[in-house]
Amino acid sequence: DQQVKQNSPSLSVQEGRISILNCDYTNSMFDYFLWYKKYPAEGPTFLISISSIKDKNEDGRFTVFLNKSAKHLSLHIVPSQPGDSAVYFCAASETGTASKLTFGTGTRLQVTL
Amino acid sequence: DAGVIQSPRHEVTEMGQEVTLRCKPISGHNSLFWYRQTMMRGLELLIYFNNNVPIDDSGMPEDRFSAKMPNASFSTLKIQPSEPRDSAVYFCASSPAGGRIWEQFFGPGTRLTVL
């Protein structure tokens, strides 16, 4: 039972356009959410996070939106760049288990010229 | 600063053999995590340690898997005996005490192939 779901295994976007990656979760105890980026042959690296007390967090070209009622979050990348091509993992942490992250299956983003 | 170090980077073995994966966390980090990545299930947490003590091993698939952390700078994940379905990329990650403990720092992974 996947508690964190990324239903789109892949996404292709033109350079300069917006990339929107989606993530759904089922566990209502999740209270902190993160996005990680992974390049081939490397480990995932932390990108951006959001607490459940917020509905938006922005860091440069990256913005994460959280809709708690829908149990949905999304990552927006504007403008998309070729270097953003990677696999993006959504992750969530449950109240009281701050160190433990539950990851989704990932979305492969390809930014084309 | 050195990041999380994993060895070997690639391991090819035959079914039934013992496999040992190694991890050196970032100095000063007090939490260590072992993950397995597959296409079907993404990144699955196998086990994590806090201050060298196993806290949650509910993700360990079965008794063939075991993990140890004898000190703050070293951990091992052992599979004995290995099976073809264990083929995956195994990641080790560490995180610091306090502050942004949700932010985990991953090693480059070990790609395991069991024939």
Side-chain angles (χ1 to χ4, degrees):
Chain A
D1 59 336
Q2 285 283 121
Q3 296 188 65
V4 177
K5 301 176 184 178
Q6 295 177 256
N7 293 318
S8 298
S10 63
L11 175 67
S12 183
V13 173
Q14 264 190 329
E15 182 181 11
R17 307 294 289 267
I18 184 172
S19 294
I20 301 177
L21 293 90
N22 294 304
C23 178
D24 297 294
Y25 61 96
T26 58
N27 187 342
S28 58
M29 297 299 289
F30 286 148
D31 63 351
Y32 201 82
F33 304 88
L34 306 90
W35 285 93
Y36 279 75
K37 181 168 72 172
K38 182 185 180 305
Y39 292 118
E42 295 183 10
T45 55
F46 170 76
L47 183 60
I48 192 170
S49 63
I50 187 168
S51 165
S52 60
I53 63 173
K54 295 185 176 181
D55 55 16
K56 176 182 175 181
N57 188 28
E58 190 172 353
D59 184 0
R61 296 185 297 112
F62 302 90
T63 303
V64 57
F65 295 91
L66 175 62
N67 182 334
K68 284 175 55 181
S69 61
K71 294 189 175 67
H72 177 82
L73 63 155
S74 60
L75 174 68
H76 292 209
I77 307 173
V78 184
S80 301
Q81 299 175 354
D84 297 329
S85 298
V87 176
Y88 290 80
F89 289 97
C90 172
S93 173
E94 185 175 328
T95 305
T97 62
S99 293
K100 183 176 178 179
L101 295 179
T102 301
F103 282 84
T105 52
T107 296
R108 181 178 301 276
L109 172 66
Q110 183 170 4
V111 180
T112 59
L113 298 174
Chain B
D1 283 344
V4 175
I5 298 172
Q6 290 187 248
S7 64
R9 292 294 308 274
H10 301 274
E11 177 80 31
V12 180
T13 190
E14 292 189 346
M15 182 175 63
Q17 296 297 306
E18 175 182 305
V19 175
T20 300
L21 311 181
R22 297 173 176 80
C23 175
K24 177 178 170 56
I26 293 173
S27 177
H29 285 192
N30 74 331
S31 292
L32 183 138
F33 309 83
W34 282 101
Y35 290 90
R36 177 171 67 177
Q37 183 192 5
T38 61
M39 290 294 292
M40 292 299 295
R41 301 182 65 85
L43 274 167
E44 297 177 272
L45 177 66
L46 301 177
I47 184 171
Y48 81 91
F49 296 83
N50 195 41
N51 293 322
N52 311 338
V53 176
I55 303 299
D56 186 342
D57 65 354
S58 60
M60 296 286 261
E62 47 197 274
D63 292 346
R64 298 184 297 107
F65 286 69
S66 62
K68 293 182 179 179
M69 192 166 187
N71 57 62
S73 60
F74 184 65
S75 177
T76 59
L77 177 67
K78 184 179 292 187
I79 308 172
Q80 181 186 21
S82 58
E83 297 181 2
R85 59 192 169 120
D86 301 330
S87 298
V89 181
Y90 291 81
F91 289 101
C92 175
S94 67
S95 66
R100 292 163 55 175
I101 59 175
W102 303 273
E103 182 181 339
Q104 299 179 10
F105 295 79
F106 283 76
T110 296
R111 181 174 294 277
L112 173 64
T113 302
V114 183
L115 303 175

